[in-house]
Amino acid sequence: MTATSDSWGRAEPLDALSVRQVLSLERVLAGEPEVVAGATQLDRPVRWVHVAEAADVGVMLSGGEMVLTTGVLLAGDEGKQTEYVRSLHRAEAAAVVLGLGRAFPAPPDAMRRAAERCGLPMVVLHRPFPFAELTEEVQSRLVRRKFAAVSLSESVRTALTRLITAGAPLQRLLDEVARHSGCPVVVTNLAHRVLATAGERPAVDDVLRDWERIARQAGGSEGDGWIRAELGGRGEQWGRITLCGYRGDGAGGRLLADRAAEALVLHRMLGGGSASSWEEQSAQGLLTDLVSGAVPARQLLPRARAAGLPVNRRTFLPLVVREGDPARLDRTLRLLGLPGLVADLGDGATAVLLSLARDQDADALAAHFAARLRGGADEPRPVVAAAGPRTAWDDVPAGLREARHVAEAVADSAAALDLPPVVRLRDVHLRGLVRLLRDDPHVQSFAERELDGLLRAGDDDLLSVLRTYLATGRNKSRTAQLHHVSRPALYRRLEAIRARLGVDLDDFEQAASVHIALLAHDAQQGGTAPAQSHGNTEPPGKTTVKHGSSRA
């Protein structure tokens, strides 16, 4: 399991300050420091501060030290001065600080030139300065820094481990990381496609607005707070997590990214999903927000772009597929080379949002997509419901809701095989209208009032007969056949229905009223026409109530 972090700039060790940070300390500023060489190397990490007057100080160092000296043993010998700087360079010292005074009233040219050639920061202090104060200040800061970073690391590790143990989803883990980091958190695959995000929504949207360009940048300036950690295991990397604009201590940020990466890798290993399943969750969250309308479409545009959906000068085709496997739908899109997002909406419905070039035929591609979903002769054919193409992103939510409405209107239809390959609003007729209005209190009250005599008695058998009778266009012979009863027995049941409802089913207007009430009742209950259990009737979406008397 790997989780290796790096800053998008120069990295510094956990227990280090940079030369620049040391020089900005108040006590150091009192000595009037001046950088006379190696000014481009001030971001080097300082692991320790060492006071040394020995000419061969290099042999005493292990790297990363800021060496303080008065140069008293180097005065008057330019060769020693040059070799002194070279030995510091060979020992990988962070910087050399020379206190001006009796030994060197001004910066020695030999040391300055040698430091510049070696790229070693050389700083001179123009005012007398107690070196002990500087070492005390830096060492205490380093210790506090290391302790704070380790404390943060353990706190985050404990919190994330507790969540993983409790079976928390990926989003919950990322929310915890964002809470500790105080900045947007983004998880991507190796192609920089966003799989998941966390943090305050406006800040996340700002980051995602131009994500691909930002993510592909080779680096950034030190201190910009962009810290990432690789995700992978068994020698294979499959993603990364990025803290975007972390404002805390850099060492703590890297530890936080490392702990987050370790938790995500563990989450995946323990069955919390794969990179592909995280991609599915990202698409599901985006499409669910679009369908619900809880978030304005324009605010979701950065997420769509970061998820890899082309959005500039495109035609969007909203689809909802019933009884279609989301994984199969996604594979079909990839096979056809159609860019789009797939998300399980629950209750057997899957949303598909296609992004097409303006010159592509949306209707033809939808039909081609539906044709590729057809299985064998014995397999149920998924119902593909479509809304009209949308050229404006702001119109996509309404399109998805329309497609979902159409899919619901033909849900569990006994005559699904008679539907066109791609079902649209014009294909669902009265059933679609009733479904659309099913949550209206007036429609609910109408259905209850019209069917009260049967609903109050709880006579499901008579309700089933009524449903079949109306679905067959009031064909008594067909109704008796589907319910396996004799004609006289059916007449008795129809008479009981007329008596309980107080209606004349031979009257077109009264029969139509009962039919609409029954469709509304079924839509509100999410029920299925019992006629399905008896054999095929006319398609519910095409049911007609004929004028005149009942057919014999």
Side-chain angles (χ1 to χ4, degrees):
M1 180 172 67
T2 63
T4 306
S5 68
D6 60 85
S7 172
W8 288 12
R10 178 182 294 276
E12 63 186 42
L14 170 65
D15 54 348
L17 294 168
S18 67
V19 174
R20 191 188 308 277
Q21 288 172 319
V22 172
L23 297 181
S24 67
L25 297 177
E26 186 175 351
R27 290 188 180 183
V28 179
L29 292 174
E32 297 182 7
E34 178 189 359
V35 179
V36 297
T40 62
Q41 303 297 317
L42 296 183
D43 291 321
R44 283 186 172 186
V46 176
R47 187 180 56 81
W48 207 247
V49 176
H50 189 68
V51 180
E53 298 294 352
D56 59 348
V57 65
V59 299
M60 308 176 189
L61 307 179
S62 58
E65 295 89 351
M66 174 179 279
V67 177
L68 312 180
T69 182
T70 61
V72 65
L73 300 181
L74 305 175
D77 190 330
E78 291 189 356
K80 284 185 177 181
Q81 296 168 20
T82 300
E83 179 56 29
Y84 181 83
V85 172
R86 288 175 178 171
S87 68
L88 293 180
H89 172 64
R90 289 193 296 269
E92 299 183 347
V96 59
V97 178
L98 176 65
L100 300 181
R102 285 182 300 172
F104 291 102
D109 286 339
M111 290 184 68
R112 183 183 57 77
R113 288 194 299 269
E116 194 65 48
R117 285 194 298 270
C118 294
L120 177 71
M122 179 176 173
V123 182
V124 297
L125 300 175
H126 289 276
R127 293 176 62 87
F129 186 88
F131 285 169
E133 291 187 10
L134 174 57
T135 57
E136 178 185 7
E137 175 78 8
V138 174
Q139 316 304 38
S140 64
R141 283 178 178 267
L142 290 176
V143 170
R144 290 199 303 271
R145 181 187 179 97
K146 184 171 184 178
F147 177 79
V150 171
S151 177
L152 172 65
S153 172
E154 289 308 307
S155 174
V156 172
R157 173 178 282 159
T158 299
L160 294 180
T161 300
R162 183 172 61 250
L163 289 173
I164 293 174
T165 304
L170 169 67
Q171 189 60 53
R172 184 67 188 86
L173 269 66
L174 293 181
D175 289 341
E176 186 71 15
V177 175
R179 185 178 71 83
H180 280 88
S181 67
C183 68
V185 177
V186 178
V187 176
T188 64
N189 61 17
L190 295 182
H192 305 288
R193 185 168 181 172
V194 174
L195 306 181
T197 63
E200 295 185 2
R201 196 73 258 165
V204 172
D205 289 344
D206 286 343
V207 168
L208 297 184
R209 208 170 305 281
D210 197 16
W211 172 256
E212 186 168 350
R213 181 187 64 81
I214 295 174
R216 293 182 184 277
Q217 285 180 339
S221 60
E222 174 71 10
D224 61 4
W226 283 67
I227 303 171
R228 67 183 179 186
E230 303 298 329
L231 305 175
R234 299 177 181 175
E236 179 185 4
Q237 291 183 352
W238 41 265
R240 57 180 59 91
I241 180 171
T242 305
L243 307 185
C244 307
Y246 181 71
R247 298 304 178 193
D249 177 77
R254 272 186 298 284
L255 263 181
L256 177 56
D258 284 341
R259 297 297 84 80
E262 290 172 0
L264 296 190
V265 173
L266 181 60
H267 180 267
R268 180 184 178 187
M269 291 176 62
L270 294 179
S274 62
S276 60
S277 70
W278 290 355
E279 190 170 332
E280 293 166 7
Q281 292 175 35
S282 175
Q284 181 167 341
L286 174 60
L287 291 187
T288 299
D289 285 345
L290 281 170
V291 171
S292 69
V295 182
R298 189 159 298 278
Q299 292 184 21
L300 297 172
L301 189 58
R303 289 170 58 187
R305 184 183 289 112
L309 186 73
V311 295
N312 295 329
R313 298 186 59 78
R314 306 290 289 187
T315 295
F316 302 101
L317 183 60
L319 306 173
V320 171
V321 182
R322 290 204 62 85
E323 306 308 328
D325 175 33
R328 182 185 177 192
L329 298 180
D330 188 62
R331 287 195 302 271
T332 303
L333 286 185
R334 296 177 189 273
L335 184 64
L336 297 177
L338 296 176
L341 300 176
V342 177
D344 185 358
L345 299 180
D347 295 328
T350 303
V352 179
L353 179 62
L354 300 182
S355 175
L356 309 175
R358 292 284 174 89
D359 58 352
Q360 290 181 290
D361 188 332
D363 290 345
L365 286 174
H368 187 41
F369 174 69
R372 294 301 293 263
L373 297 180
R374 294 174 183 168
D378 297 333
E379 297 180 37
R381 192 187 80 187
V383 176
V384 179
R390 263 60 176 175
T391 56
W393 175 257
D394 287 346
D395 295 335
V396 169
L400 284 168
R401 288 192 290 271
E402 178 183 317
R404 190 176 193 179
H405 157 64
V406 173
E408 289 177 348
V410 297
D412 303 318
S413 171
L417 294 177
D418 295 329
L419 294 171
V422 180
V423 188
R424 293 181 169 81
L425 193 58
R426 62 177 177 268
D427 300 315
V428 296
H429 305 295
L430 179 60
R431 182 176 294 271
L433 175 63
V434 172
R435 277 251 177 192
L436 186 63
L437 300 176
R438 64 182 174 180
D439 294 326
D440 187 296
H442 295 89
V443 174
Q444 295 171 358
S445 176
F446 168 76
E448 291 292 318
R449 183 172 62 252
E450 289 291 300
L451 302 175
D452 179 65
L454 291 178
L455 297 178
R456 187 155 35 86
D459 196 327
D460 292 337
D461 181 60
L462 290 183
L463 198 63
S464 176
V465 169
L466 175 63
R467 185 182 288 106
T468 305
Y469 180 61
L470 295 173
T472 59
R474 298 182 296 164
N475 187 319
K476 294 177 180 142
S477 298
R478 182 62 174 155
T479 302
Q481 179 185 3
L482 290 174
H483 282 270
H484 307 292
V485 298
S486 65
R487 290 283 292 269
L490 176 65
Y491 293 158
R492 287 194 295 272
R493 295 184 187 186
L494 291 177
E495 186 58 38
I497 292 172
R498 291 189 184 99
R500 291 191 181 181
L501 296 184
V503 298
D504 180 3
L505 293 178
D506 290 333
D507 180 83
F508 169 73
E509 186 172 338
Q510 293 183 52
S513 180
V514 172
H515 185 204
I516 293 171
L518 190 56
L519 290 176
H521 172 73
D522 289 343
Q524 291 156 15
Q525 300 299 316
T528 301
Q532 293 179 61
S533 62
H534 306 300
N536 288 335
T537 69
E538 279 197 18
K542 300 181 180 179
T543 297
T544 57
V545 179
K546 299 186 180 297
H547 294 270
S549 61
S550 305
R551 295 190 300 181

